[in-house]
Amino acid sequence: MSPRIFLLEDVFDKDIVSIKGDNARYISTVLRCNTGEPLTLLDNRGNSYSAVIVKSLPSEVVVRLTGKDEDIKTELPIDITLAQAIPKGDKMDIIIQKATELGVKRIIPIVTERTEVRITRRLNRWKEIAISAAQQSRRLRIPEIESPVGFNSFMAEASSGIIFWEKSENSLKKVIRDYKPGGSITIVIGPEGGFSDEEIKAASERGFQHVSLGPRILRAETAAIVAVSIIQYELGDLQEDN
Ligand code: SAH
């Protein structure tokens, strides 16, 4: 399988493409790709192109486009937005990586009442993690990682979705029946300290249903991965025969 690179420039109508900057350095020095070797280029609009390297230097990589790859279906049939309260340490990195592999469309880092982190400005790092995870998992699109927002501002913009709350008595299995493949779903996961009762009340007023993930308390990163996996299984493409 040839290395995959997202190229966010409008170059795909040409036969010969010059790649510079970080991508060139990455292809020539990290991936150590040589002249004559294949490369897959992705435009982040759902298209994948085969290419062959004609020059590989850290300052410039030149490729010849050899064709467009058809029929690649690595994007989920449902748009999942994950609104995640930023957890401590580097757990957000793991959540972004895993949620990208599992196919989420958008991640919104949120700051809640009990969010304990001070530094919420890791946006560039999170975006880079999303790009590598999208390349590695052979996705055609990089998930959007939005700037962190406060819980209230997030709720003011949102209209409906699912909020995961360990005290809820509602089952995800039932609530998920309201959603269909082809549509979209927003899910909200709390920080280590959980959501406050006021936050759950505010979410309910905005049309969010609270649900439980069972009687055990999961860590925030586990809850995010499990929630996305269940939705992918129920409404996505996990169960299809390939
Ligand atoms: N501090 C809380 C747990 C927070 S767990 C307590 O000990 O009670 C972090 C987040 O993961 C929660 O805000 C929730 O969104 C999610 N979560 C963890 N376990 C869950 C469960 N059993 N049901 C629903 N959500 C859960």
Side-chain angles (χ1 to χ4, degrees), residues 41 61 73 81 88 92 117 119 121 141 166 219:
L41 298 177
V61 170
K73 290 191 216 136
T81 295
K88 284 190 272 183
M92 192 67 174
V117 286
I119 315 158
R121 291 174 202 281
R141 287 176 200 269
E166 55 286 349
R219 286 181 183 265

Side-chain angles (χ1 to χ4, degrees), residues 164-166 189-195 211-214 216-218 220 223:
F164 287 85
W165 188 37
E166 55 286 349
I189 309 277
E192 285 88 353
F195 291 114
V211 297
S212 158
L213 280 171
R216 288 158 302 277
I217 302 295
L218 308 176

